[in-house]
Amino acid sequence: MNFTSPFSLTIVLITALAFLGLPIGLSMIVGSILYLFLVGADMGTVAEQFLNGMYSNYIILAVPLFVLAAEFMNIGSMTERLLNFCNVLVGRFRGGLAQVNVVQSIVFAGMSGSAIADAAGSGRMMQNMMTRDGRYTPSYAAALTAVTSVIGPIIPPSIPMVIYALVSDASIGYLFIGGMIPGLLMALLQMVQVAITARRKNFPVEDPVPLRDIPKITWQALPALMMPVVLLGCIYSGITTPTEAAALAAAYALAISVVIYRSISLVAFYDALKTSSKTTASIGMLIAGSLVFNYVVTIENIPETLRVLLTGWDLSPIGFLILVNVLLLLLGCVLEGTAILLIIVPVFIPTAQALGIDMVHFGVMVVVNVMLGLVTPPYGLLLFIMTNISGAPVRDIIRDALPFLGWMVLCLALITFFPDLVLWLPRLTGYQG
């Protein structure tokens, strides 16, 4: 490899700027401009790639709308009512409040599509509930909230799956359906680990909810519980596209919070718009940077070069998937998930297609892998978010999260070796892959 080539210098510049603290999206834009300057290409190409990628792709619009839906849920009382309902389901078992943490992640997974939104919203409330009166240590509550938040983008809707669909042209609807069983499987394995730890550490048993209160709690939570039903029903019935369904999700969350729960003030509404705008801007800048950088990667013919290289290794489809998993797990330790989906994954797609690997199966596997990176040290964005929320040292949170990571890697292995765990439901709905 020529370390003085334009592409090498571009990679060095992007890496250096990122380590110096510049957002990775801006780093990629600056690095790509350097590349175009060195090879004598038209500088207007940067703006062209930015505009064509950001403003002509309808799929991207789903991202800010799902973010906005999550914000409306967090500022309303939907979160509290859903947690009360989850407590009815599993709160009476040993370690019941810890089991509630897992179940609420399943429920919220059908609404926000974002692990960070789940951790910052319902996760903050779960942290307070679990540590009240010393029931659980702050580090265990934070670790559990971090690992359960990973379920959110696996069970539909899912912002990472929308981004994967952007770079792969895979069907968003079938990706959403394909994530259901893996997401539920991961939640089941997490509940098994909670049960094991609860028995070993003698976790407390919560007071059971009186039977007379169950109908009232269920009724209060019903409008919020109907949100994923309405959302996914509209997508899979063909009434709306996934992007239109994201708009519907935001409108539904706002309507329920304002009209039925009456829990949103004008100040809170403004703050939700401001927060979602900031989040959307950061994601949009990352997408813009990746689109420009991917143009550079295309000029260098790297996807085709990698395909030829891997073909020369004579890898089987399973061997290729194992290699991708290992590489993504390692990259997840140091890179942000969206960056991996936008920069690294497109390089693997031509090889996966050449080997006959189904794009929906590959996409769900990649998203699960990327989500593991959110709780994998040293980067682990969710670990740092929960450190800020809980005040517990990050090393203690990592220690308590490690047993869950083992189960989550097992879940990743199962969906890698058994594609039908992903493809069975999509095929029931007409998928021909």
Side-chain angles (χ1 to χ4, degrees):
M1 177 179 179
N2 184 2
F3 290 98
T4 60
S5 67
F7 186 72
S8 297
L9 293 175
T10 298
I11 297 298
V12 170
L13 180 61
I14 292 174
T15 304
L17 291 175
F19 274 112
L20 289 173
L22 191 69
I24 185 65
L26 290 175
S27 300
M28 287 187 292
I29 291 175
V30 173
S32 300
I33 290 175
L34 172 66
Y35 176 88
L36 295 174
F37 174 78
L38 292 176
V39 299
D42 182 9
M43 288 295 175
T45 302
V46 175
E48 181 183 353
Q49 291 298 312
F50 179 97
L51 293 174
N52 287 341
M54 293 296 290
Y55 296 108
S56 65
N57 198 307
Y58 188 59
I59 295 175
I60 297 178
L61 187 58
V63 175
L65 292 172
F66 279 130
V67 171
L68 184 60
E71 286 300 320
F72 285 154
M73 287 174 53
N74 290 337
I75 64 174
S77 61
M78 294 176 70
T79 300
E80 181 178 354
R81 296 169 193 269
L82 289 171
L83 288 178
N84 290 336
F85 176 75
C86 294
N87 187 49
V88 168
L89 297 179
V90 295
R92 64 184 65 240
F93 303 112
R94 180 163 298 282
L97 203 52
Q99 299 286 15
V100 168
N101 201 330
V102 182
V103 174
Q104 64 87 20
S105 288
I106 299 174
V107 174
F108 279 91
M111 302 180 188
S112 72
S114 167
I116 295 173
D118 288 350
S122 61
R124 187 183 298 273
M125 189 172 295
M126 282 303 312
Q127 181 73 26
N128 295 333
M129 291 173 61
M130 291 183 67
T131 55
R132 188 182 303 153
D133 301 325
R135 289 185 179 94
Y136 300 84
T137 63
S139 63
Y140 182 82
L144 182 60
T145 299
V147 297
T148 57
S149 296
V150 168
I151 299 171
I154 301 173
I155 297 176
S158 167
I159 291 176
M161 287 183 184
V162 172
I163 294 174
Y164 172 81
L166 171 67
V167 300
S168 68
D169 289 329
S171 165
I172 297 179
Y174 289 130
L175 283 168
F176 281 2
I177 300 175
M180 288 183 179
I181 291 179
L184 293 174
L185 176 62
M186 183 174 290
L188 176 62
L189 294 175
Q190 290 178 349
M191 295 181 78
V192 169
Q193 178 59 40
V194 168
I196 293 172
T197 307
R199 184 172 297 274
R200 180 165 53 86
K201 294 189 175 182
N202 197 31
F203 283 166
V205 177
E206 305 300 317
D207 295 331
V209 178
L211 290 177
R212 64 178 181 275
D213 292 341
I214 293 178
K216 178 182 177 182
I217 293 173
T218 304
W219 178 253
Q220 289 177 339
L222 186 61
L225 289 170
M226 288 301 296
M227 181 174 170
V229 176
V230 172
L231 178 63
L232 300 178
C234 288
I235 293 176
Y236 302 136
S237 65
I239 297 175
T240 65
T241 66
T243 302
E244 292 165 344
L248 179 63
Y252 185 88
L254 179 62
I256 293 300
S257 297
V258 172
V259 178
I260 297 181
Y261 295 152
R262 299 180 181 179
S263 56
I264 292 183
S265 65
L266 286 175
V267 173
F269 176 75
Y270 174 76
D271 288 341
L273 292 178
K274 185 169 63 175
T275 301
S276 61
S277 297
K278 290 180 179 178
T279 304
T280 300
S282 63
I283 295 174
M285 187 58 68
L286 183 57
I287 293 175
S290 68
L291 289 172
V292 177
F293 181 71
N294 284 341
Y295 176 75
V296 173
V297 169
T298 302
I299 292 177
E300 288 288 315
N301 207 25
I302 289 177
E304 179 63 20
T305 302
L306 181 63
R307 187 190 67 80
V308 172
L309 175 64
L310 293 177
T311 302
W313 289 357
D314 198 25
L315 288 173
S316 65
I318 286 295
F320 172 75
L321 292 178
I322 293 173
L323 175 64
V324 170
N325 274 328
V326 172
L327 291 175
L328 293 185
L329 284 172
L330 293 175
L331 289 171
C333 295
V334 294
L335 283 180
E336 196 269 337
T338 306
I340 293 175
L341 285 169
L342 290 168
I343 303 170
I344 307 299
V345 172
V347 176
F348 292 123
I349 288 176
T351 306
Q353 292 173 329
L355 290 172
I357 295 171
D358 184 87
M359 284 292 98
V360 170
H361 173 230
F362 186 69
V364 173
M365 184 199 78
V366 164
V367 168
V368 171
N369 199 314
V370 168
M371 290 303 100
L372 290 185
L374 293 174
V375 288
T376 304
Y379 185 78
L381 183 58
L382 285 176
L383 299 176
F384 293 113
I385 289 175
M386 292 314 302
T387 296
N388 292 332
I389 291 176
S390 67
V394 67
R395 64 178 180 276
D396 293 343
I397 297 177
I398 292 173
R399 178 200 63 210
D400 289 330
L402 285 177
F404 293 97
L405 278 173
W407 289 104
M408 293 160 76
V409 170
L410 172 62
C411 178
L412 175 62
L414 289 174
I415 65 173
T416 299
F417 290 107
F418 301 100
D420 283 344
L421 288 174
V422 174
L423 299 176
W424 180 66
L425 280 180
R427 285 169 178 162
L428 284 182
T429 58
Y431 181 59
Q432 301 299 317

